[in-house]
Amino acid sequence: MVKKGTKKTSISQKKKKKTASTKKKTTQSRKKTTAKKATTNKVKNTASNTVKKKTETSKEKAKTEKNNIAPEIVKIDLPKKKEKINVEVVEVTNKQPKKNIRRKKSVSNVRKIERTKKNNFLSTIKKYKRKFKMYGLFGIITKRTLIIITISIIFLISLFVALKYVGPNTSTIDLQSISYDIDQLKTVRFNIDSSNEIVTSSKAYSNLTNYYVYDYENTFNIKEEWIKDAVIKYNKNNDGLYMAILPVSGHEEDIKKGVEKFLNKKKIDALYLEYDGYMFYINSSNNTSVVSKIKQTQIRVFDILEELNTNSIEERLGISSKLYTDYTVKVAMLRSEVTGYMIFKPKNKKSAEEIDKIMNEYFTKLEEEYQDDEEKLALIKNRYVGNYNGYLIYLLSRDNNLVMQLVQK
């Protein structure tokens, strides 16, 4: 009977050992799964996981102590300590780089703030940035200053455009070629000095007699003081008449009445024509031809001119060669005439002012010299003074506009 009991006890012990081993395996597998969960959830609630592990291990110990009395079971707790150490190491290694990054950022921000405080320019920029974010554009600049800035910018742009596209050209003038062209200039105007040529080229007259100032009142009922200039040719036998009169302003009607009295007395049916300020009375075999020749006459813009060099310019005009870099000056060859032109390229602004001053004095003297000659005085007073392309231009001519058109080509 004893043997049978021993066998039963051994079988029961074996069964107990098998259950214990299965329990150990389950506990170990549970430990492994908990360890894996702890590693995957590193950041989340590490403290709660460790507490759970402790409670689980304590419960398992209690169960094993109750079921297994043998001392061998207590030695299995060694891997638990290793797992705890591993978990703690992972947490420490993960936390360390985060702390280092935060320290670097805080240090760099502090340095930046110190730099901006030291640098006034950067601090003012940041100040204006804050104002702009809070209040907008008008927090930095007032409406009045903004209007002034916009107006000044528009003005500067318009000034730049005007100087670039509307301003005068800065290229040089070929004074030599211009001088040649000016000398040849003629204008289609009546030239009283061409009267003899008109009469002969028209072939409409024969044997005309010239009448002079002392004959005007007795023969044609016109007074000398009514006339600036005149050419009168008359043939008593065939009543051929060529009369060109430049009247004094305000005496046109006096001249008409006097000449018409003469024509009525002689019973001459003359053609009356007003052209280029002149009064014409024509009686010929071909009045149309005579009128055509009158309108074809050309008057020279300048009289016969002579060119002055630097020395003669200083003698005649009083202008030193030190004041200009380029020039062309021509004046009337006959001292009784006043026509001419003077073109200078001054060295600088001060030289231009000096030349202009000297030329004004020169023209003032001419006006005094020819104050009794209405025609020449009119030419002097109607002179052209201007600045073109950096050149000072002075013109005394019978058609200043025509000369300037040629210069500006």
PDB file of all heavy atoms in Angstrom, residues 185-198:
ATOM      1  N   LEU A 185      20.959 132.299 -98.653  1.00  0.00           N
ATOM      2  CA  LEU A 185      19.520 132.407 -98.387  1.00  0.00           C
ATOM      3  C   LEU A 185      18.893 133.606 -99.096  1.00  0.00           C
ATOM      4  O   LEU A 185      19.418 134.717 -99.065  1.00  0.00           O
ATOM      5  CB  LEU A 185      19.266 132.547 -96.880  1.00  0.00           C
ATOM      6  CG  LEU A 185      19.105 131.263 -96.076  1.00  0.00           C
ATOM      7  CD1 LEU A 185      18.894 131.607 -94.608  1.00  0.00           C
ATOM      8  CD2 LEU A 185      17.933 130.441 -96.579  1.00  0.00           C
ATOM      9  N   LYS A 186      17.745 133.324 -99.700  1.00  0.00           N
ATOM     10  CA  LYS A 186      16.916 134.384-100.288  1.00  0.00           C
ATOM     11  C   LYS A 186      15.478 134.105 -99.892  1.00  0.00           C
ATOM     12  O   LYS A 186      15.101 132.958 -99.651  1.00  0.00           O
ATOM     13  CB  LYS A 186      17.042 134.403-101.809  1.00  0.00           C
ATOM     14  CG  LYS A 186      18.394 134.856-102.306  1.00  0.00           C
ATOM     15  CD  LYS A 186      18.430 134.875-103.810  1.00  0.00           C
ATOM     16  CE  LYS A 186      19.803 135.312-104.306  1.00  0.00           C
ATOM     17  NZ  LYS A 186      19.888 135.330-105.780  1.00  0.00           N
ATOM     18  N   THR A 187      14.690 135.138 -99.827  1.00  0.00           N
ATOM     19  CA  THR A 187      13.284 134.976 -99.497  1.00  0.00           C
ATOM     20  C   THR A 187      12.424 135.590-100.587  1.00  0.00           C
ATOM     21  O   THR A 187      12.810 136.595-101.198  1.00  0.00           O
ATOM     22  CB  THR A 187      12.958 135.611 -98.127  1.00  0.00           C
ATOM     23  OG1 THR A 187      11.583 135.416 -97.841  1.00  0.00           O
ATOM     24  CG2 THR A 187      13.265 137.085 -98.099  1.00  0.00           C
ATOM     25  N   VAL A 188      11.264 134.956-100.845  1.00  0.00           N
ATOM     26  CA  VAL A 188      10.366 135.464-101.897  1.00  0.00           C
ATOM     27  C   VAL A 188       9.613 136.660-101.324  1.00  0.00           C
ATOM     28  O   VAL A 188       8.547 136.519-100.731  1.00  0.00           O
ATOM     29  CB  VAL A 188       9.398 134.365-102.369  1.00  0.00           C
ATOM     30  CG1 VAL A 188       8.474 134.886-103.456  1.00  0.00           C
ATOM     31  CG2 VAL A 188      10.173 133.167-102.870  1.00  0.00           C
ATOM     32  N   ARG A 189      10.200 137.782-101.488  1.00  0.00           N
ATOM     33  CA  ARG A 189       9.608 139.050-101.051  1.00  0.00           C
ATOM     34  C   ARG A 189       9.902 140.093-102.116  1.00  0.00           C
ATOM     35  O   ARG A 189      10.819 139.940-102.931  1.00  0.00           O
ATOM     36  CB  ARG A 189      10.215 139.498 -99.712  1.00  0.00           C
ATOM     37  CG  ARG A 189       9.798 138.645 -98.528  1.00  0.00           C
ATOM     38  CD  ARG A 189      10.449 139.130 -97.258  1.00  0.00           C
ATOM     39  NE  ARG A 189      10.118 140.521 -96.989  1.00  0.00           N
ATOM     40  CZ  ARG A 189      10.687 141.250 -96.023  1.00  0.00           C
ATOM     41  NH1 ARG A 189      11.623 140.705 -95.251  1.00  0.00           N
ATOM     42  NH2 ARG A 189      10.343 142.507 -95.835  1.00  0.00           N
ATOM     43  N   PHE A 190       9.106 141.127-102.057  1.00  0.00           N
ATOM     44  CA  PHE A 190       9.342 142.181-103.037  1.00  0.00           C
ATOM     45  C   PHE A 190      10.611 142.943-102.686  1.00  0.00           C
ATOM     46  O   PHE A 190      10.799 143.390-101.558  1.00  0.00           O
ATOM     47  CB  PHE A 190       8.162 143.146-103.106  1.00  0.00           C
ATOM     48  CG  PHE A 190       8.405 144.267-104.057  1.00  0.00           C
ATOM     49  CD1 PHE A 190       8.451 144.044-105.429  1.00  0.00           C
ATOM     50  CD2 PHE A 190       8.619 145.559-103.584  1.00  0.00           C
ATOM     51  CE1 PHE A 190       8.699 145.081-106.305  1.00  0.00           C
ATOM     52  CE2 PHE A 190       8.868 146.601-104.463  1.00  0.00           C
ATOM     53  CZ  PHE A 190       8.902 146.357-105.826  1.00  0.00           C
ATOM     54  N   ASN A 191      11.454 143.048-103.700  1.00  0.00           N
ATOM     55  CA  ASN A 191      12.697 143.804-103.569  1.00  0.00           C
ATOM     56  C   ASN A 191      12.595 145.029-104.460  1.00  0.00           C
ATOM     57  O   ASN A 191      12.623 144.930-105.694  1.00  0.00           O
ATOM     58  CB  ASN A 191      13.881 142.931-103.983  1.00  0.00           C
ATOM     59  CG  ASN A 191      15.219 143.615-103.735  1.00  0.00           C
ATOM     60  OD1 ASN A 191      15.271 144.734-103.219  1.00  0.00           O
ATOM     61  ND2 ASN A 191      16.288 142.940-104.099  1.00  0.00           N
ATOM     62  N   ILE A 192      12.467 146.194-103.845  1.00  0.00           N
ATOM     63  CA  ILE A 192      12.274 147.428-104.608  1.00  0.00           C
ATOM     64  C   ILE A 192      13.466 147.743-105.496  1.00  0.00           C
ATOM     65  O   ILE A 192      13.340 148.421-106.533  1.00  0.00           O
ATOM     66  CB  ILE A 192      11.952 148.604-103.668  1.00  0.00           C
ATOM     67  CG1 ILE A 192      11.304 149.768-104.453  1.00  0.00           C
ATOM     68  CG2 ILE A 192      13.179 149.036-102.881  1.00  0.00           C
ATOM     69  CD1 ILE A 192      10.667 150.826-103.583  1.00  0.00           C
ATOM     70  N   ASP A 193      14.632 147.208-105.126  1.00  0.00           N
ATOM     71  CA  ASP A 193      15.829 147.428-105.949  1.00  0.00           C
ATOM     72  C   ASP A 193      15.771 146.668-107.269  1.00  0.00           C
ATOM     73  O   ASP A 193      16.569 146.933-108.176  1.00  0.00           O
ATOM     74  CB  ASP A 193      17.081 147.007-105.178  1.00  0.00           C
ATOM     75  CG  ASP A 193      17.291 147.869-103.940  1.00  0.00           C
ATOM     76  OD1 ASP A 193      16.873 149.043-103.950  1.00  0.00           O
ATOM     77  OD2 ASP A 193      17.865 147.349-102.949  1.00  0.00           O
ATOM     78  N   SER A 194      14.837 145.714-107.387  1.00  0.00           N
ATOM     79  CA  SER A 194      14.681 144.949-108.632  1.00  0.00           C
ATOM     80  C   SER A 194      13.679 145.589-109.599  1.00  0.00           C
ATOM     81  O   SER A 194      13.286 144.965-110.596  1.00  0.00           O
ATOM     82  CB  SER A 194      14.210 143.529-108.304  1.00  0.00           C
ATOM     83  OG  SER A 194      15.124 142.885-107.459  1.00  0.00           O
ATOM     84  N   SER A 195      13.268 146.827-109.347  1.00  0.00           N
ATOM     85  CA  SER A 195      12.237 147.484-110.176  1.00  0.00           C
ATOM     86  C   SER A 195      12.673 147.635-111.634  1.00  0.00           C
ATOM     87  O   SER A 195      11.876 147.396-112.555  1.00  0.00           O
ATOM     88  CB  SER A 195      11.888 148.861-109.597  1.00  0.00           C
ATOM     89  OG  SER A 195      11.265 148.714-108.341  1.00  0.00           O
ATOM     90  N   ASN A 196      13.908 148.012-111.853  1.00  0.00           N
ATOM     91  CA  ASN A 196      14.381 148.155-113.234  1.00  0.00           C
ATOM     92  C   ASN A 196      14.330 146.825-113.979  1.00  0.00           C
ATOM     93  O   ASN A 196      13.923 146.754-115.148  1.00  0.00           O
ATOM     94  CB  ASN A 196      15.819 148.695-113.266  1.00  0.00           C
ATOM     95  CG  ASN A 196      15.900 150.147-112.813  1.00  0.00           C
ATOM     96  OD1 ASN A 196      14.940 150.907-113.002  1.00  0.00           O
ATOM     97  ND2 ASN A 196      17.014 150.517-112.209  1.00  0.00           N
ATOM     98  N   GLU A 197      14.714 145.744-113.285  1.00  0.00           N
ATOM     99  CA  GLU A 197      14.681 144.414-113.896  1.00  0.00           C
ATOM    100  C   GLU A 197      13.242 143.980-114.192  1.00  0.00           C
ATOM    101  O   GLU A 197      12.965 143.362-115.229  1.00  0.00           O
ATOM    102  CB  GLU A 197      15.349 143.412-112.955  1.00  0.00           C
ATOM    103  CG  GLU A 197      15.525 142.031-113.546  1.00  0.00           C
ATOM    104  CD  GLU A 197      16.166 141.071-112.580  1.00  0.00           C
ATOM    105  OE1 GLU A 197      16.697 141.511-111.529  1.00  0.00           O
ATOM    106  OE2 GLU A 197      16.130 139.857-112.871  1.00  0.00           O
ATOM    107  N   ILE A 198      12.305 144.337-113.337  1.00  0.00           N
ATOM    108  CA  ILE A 198      10.887 143.986-113.532  1.00  0.00           C
ATOM    109  C   ILE A 198      10.351 144.659-114.799  1.00  0.00           C
ATOM    110  O   ILE A 198       9.672 144.049-115.620  1.00  0.00           O
ATOM    111  CB  ILE A 198      10.054 144.400-112.289  1.00  0.00           C
ATOM    112  CG1 ILE A 198      10.401 143.503-111.099  1.00  0.00           C
ATOM    113  CG2 ILE A 198       8.550 144.322-112.579  1.00  0.00           C
ATOM    114  CD1 ILE A 198       9.927 144.038-109.769  1.00  0.00           C
TER     115      ILE A 198
END
